Amino acid sequence: MKAIFHADKNWGIGRNNDLMFSIPKDMKFFRETTLGKVVVMGWNTLCSFPNGQPLKNRTNIVLCPDEISGNFVHVHNLDELFEELKKYAPDDVFVIGGATVYRTLIPYCSEVLVTKVDADGGADTFVPDLDADPDFELVAKSEPVEDNGHLLTFCTYRNNKL
């Protein structure tokens, strides 16, 4: 299992249940990386999508203790999630948010793909700082690229505990 997100320089990932930046290159990277794959998210992340609809051309798994229904796979807890994930190749599973789901599942991820934005997005939602986590190692980093007025770096972190 992997995780994917963009974060500002403070490891902020969102504000008001939305993304902080409009970054077409990051959205393209996200689409291309997750297309045809399995995406795992919490209820708030699903609700943040247009019309609260699951992402097209992906298997959407929503982790939520409440009774919900829709065009997605619903799991109530981690035991149900891990049982469901046995059906899929680990490299085809991507955790896509939100913050609680990231904090819970990043320790189980072999890799974390982070688009770092060299800006302060005024976030109210954060993920753990992987640069400060001794279990994670930065193993790949792109050259900085500019997009929509922001400087981005595409980074890959490996979980050395797995």
Side-chain angles (χ1 to χ4, degrees):
M1 178 167 57
K2 301 176 183 182
I4 185 170
F5 55 85
H6 81 241
D8 73 3
K9 62 184 181 179
N10 302 311
W11 291 88
I13 60 167
R15 183 178 59 236
N16 299 324
N17 202 35
D18 201 358
L19 300 175
M20 299 172 296
F21 309 103
S22 174
I23 308 171
K25 288 179 184 172
D26 179 56
M27 293 303 287
K28 181 178 187 231
F29 175 70
F30 177 88
R31 268 193 317 276
E32 290 175 350
T33 303
T34 63
L35 198 62
K37 308 292 185 189
V38 178
V39 291
V40 178
M41 72 196 84
W43 177 248
N44 283 341
T45 297
L46 176 66
C47 291
S48 74
F49 296 154
N51 300 316
Q53 293 301 305
L55 296 177
K56 292 180 183 174
N57 302 313
R58 297 161 186 88
T59 300
N60 290 255
I61 300 175
V62 179
L63 175 60
C64 178
D66 301 327
E67 286 306 318
I68 56 173
S69 62
N71 191 19
F72 50 81
V73 177
H74 173 223
V75 294
H76 296 87
N77 54 50
L78 289 182
D79 289 338
E80 288 182 20
L81 174 64
F82 291 135
E83 190 60 35
E84 179 66 25
L85 292 180
K86 290 178 182 177
K87 300 175 184 176
Y88 310 101
D91 282 346
D92 287 346
V93 177
F94 289 86
V95 177
I96 65 166
T100 301
V101 174
Y102 283 130
R103 280 192 297 274
T104 302
L105 294 179
I106 280 176
Y108 299 97
C109 292
S110 59
E111 282 186 349
V112 181
L113 308 176
V114 183
T115 302
K116 288 188 175 180
V117 183
D118 187 20
D120 181 340
D124 61 15
T125 307
F126 298 85
V127 292
D129 177 347
L130 297 181
D131 290 321
D133 187 328
D135 295 337
F136 283 87
E137 177 183 359
L138 178 63
V139 294
K141 181 177 178 180
S142 75
E143 289 298 318
V145 295
E146 191 278 330
D147 189 21
N148 207 20
H150 301 287
L151 198 58
L152 319 175
T153 308
F154 294 92
C155 300
T156 302
Y157 289 84
R158 180 177 58 219
N159 186 340
N160 289 322
K161 280 195 100 169
L162 299 181

